Amino acid sequence: MSIKTDTAIVLKTQEFVKLKLANAEGGHDWFHTLRVYNNALRISKTEQVNLFVVELAALLHDIADSKFYNGDDTVGSKIAREFLFSLNVDSLIIEHVIKIIENISFNKSIDNTTLFVSEELKVVQDADRLDAMGAIGIARAFNYGGYKNRAIHNPDIRPNLDMSRAEYKASTAPTINHFYEKLLLLKNQMNTRTGKLLAEGRHAFMESYLKQFYSEWQGKY
């Protein structure tokens, strides 16, 4: 029996993603997806977008993050396409969602490899970037660093602020470096009014955290 209503498809997609990410790394699991979804709904209130596209893209944006598939950027879009096709979603909606999935990642902005832009992409991208900032962003960064057995900090390894996309994807640098190579850059890359506003507070929190971190690291606090 085919699913016909937008609401039914969104609920079905939530169920699918929750099951698919049941054993995912903690920074890229169902709860990350749910936070991004809720961020996207909040941002959408002040933007002119197709909410159905935003909802589906937010839910499916990390269905198969390339970091966990040997850097293969195509797995997520393939899974998303097959799933949406199975629900008889309109082909134009599917293609829009797939383009968002293919272009949402921060690493796409490093050497300007983003080939697609839409208002819906801007919303979902901001929603995803917000979850990489603030207290949650810090927790996610160190969780992933632990997952990959990376050092917390090594003063002898300086952040690389001029990486290519390939270098970024292959990096094994300490987690603190990630703040300078990505997290602290996000505030100035937000697309929407609401995204920019929400990013301010989260960015300030990260700056405060780093100040405290270095004080403790150096034994000054």
Side-chain angles (χ1 to χ4, degrees), residues 130-142:
L130 282 171
D131 206 56
M133 303 177 70
I136 291 292
I138 292 170
R140 291 181 65 214
F142 284 110

Side-chain angles (χ1 to χ4, degrees), residues 10-23:
V10 169
L11 290 174
K12 204 75 175 177
T13 304
Q14 290 175 346
E15 295 171 2
F16 173 73
V17 175
K18 190 173 184 178
L19 181 62
K20 189 75 174 177
L21 299 182
N23 298 309

Side-chain angles (χ1 to χ4, degrees), residues 81-167:
R81 187 189 301 278
E82 290 174 1
F83 172 73
L84 294 176
F85 182 79
S86 74
L87 296 184
N88 295 323
V89 175
D90 182 88
S91 60
L92 292 178
I93 296 290
I94 293 177
E95 291 311 309
H96 195 164
V97 171
I98 295 305
K99 285 183 171 66
I100 291 174
I101 293 171
E102 292 174 341
N103 290 279
I104 191 174
S105 295
F106 170 80
N107 66 65
K108 289 280 187 175
S109 68
I110 293 176
D111 47 13
N112 297 313
T113 54
T114 300
L115 301 176
F116 172 79
V117 176
S118 74
E119 296 307 305
E120 290 76 12
L121 168 60
K122 291 177 183 178
V123 167
V124 181
Q125 191 171 61
D126 279 6
D128 188 36
R129 288 177 174 177
L130 282 171
D131 206 56
M133 303 177 70
I136 291 292
I138 292 170
R140 291 181 65 214
F142 284 110
N143 190 82
Y144 184 72
Y147 176 82
K148 299 295 287 187
N149 197 32
R150 294 180 181 175
I152 292 175
H153 178 45
N154 184 338
D156 295 328
I157 302 176
R158 306 293 297 174
N160 183 351
L161 304 181
D162 193 32
M163 282 190 287
S164 67
R165 183 172 178 239
E167 289 173 327

Side-chain angles (χ1 to χ4, degrees), residues 191-206:
N191 303 296
T192 66
R193 291 169 293 171
T194 301
K196 290 175 181 177
L197 179 63
L198 294 173
E200 291 287 344
R202 299 191 185 207
H203 182 87
F205 184 88
M206 293 191 295

Side-chain angles (χ1 to χ4, degrees), residues 169-182:
K169 292 179 70 174
S171 175
T172 59
T175 299
I176 285 294
N177 290 30
H178 191 58
F179 283 76
Y180 302 95
E181 295 166 351
K182 176 183 177 180

